[in-house]
Amino acid sequence: MDGVEVVTGQRNANCDDVCAAKQKKCSADHLRWLSSCDRLREQFGCEAGCEVVAGLGPSYVDGNAPKPARPAMCFAQPAEGGKLSCSAREEQHLMLCPCK
């Protein structure tokens, strides 16, 4: 993770936008490293728990989100899942972003 700054995005923002706001680029290669329940708990607390779900990058659901969105829940990608994308975004989620 040399030279990589881990940044928490605003609700509904993708990592490309989050890193660009810091004059940096999202490092898709480092998304997998951030996509673990342990790392998400360190950053967000994950009060409602953490689930490993294909298709969702490292993210936390805003605590003020509507109940169906599962507020205060963290989501990580399975280790054997497909490539994670810096352009992915989820409604009500705060993404955990690696910016270089």
Side-chain angles (χ1 to χ4, degrees):
M1 291 291 287
D2 245 6
V4 175
E5 180 182 0
V6 178
V7 180
T8 300
Q10 298 295 316
R11 188 169 71 176
N12 304 331
N14 66 34
C15 287
D16 281 333
D17 295 339
V18 169
C19 293
K22 295 196 152 281
Q23 285 78 46
K24 297 185 178 208
K25 284 190 167 257
C26 175
S27 172
D29 294 340
H30 291 92
L31 275 171
R32 174 90 42 222
W33 187 83
L34 290 178
S35 194
S36 80
C37 287
D38 287 342
R39 288 192 184 77
L40 288 164
R41 280 188 200 96
E42 287 171 9
Q43 193 73 23
F44 297 113
C46 307
E47 304 85 355
C50 184
E51 238 176 72
V52 177
V53 179
L56 285 178
S59 65
Y60 171 78
V61 181
D62 187 311
N64 296 317
K67 203 165 187 104
R70 303 175 76 189
M73 184 78 169
C74 287
F75 291 95
Q77 175 86 7
E80 65 284 344
K83 187 166 173 73
L84 294 173
S85 169
C86 289
S87 63
R89 86 175 73 227
E90 291 292 326
E91 200 68 27
Q92 306 294 331
H93 286 229
L94 290 78
M95 305 302 287
L96 192 57
C97 304
C99 302
K100 270 183 110 166

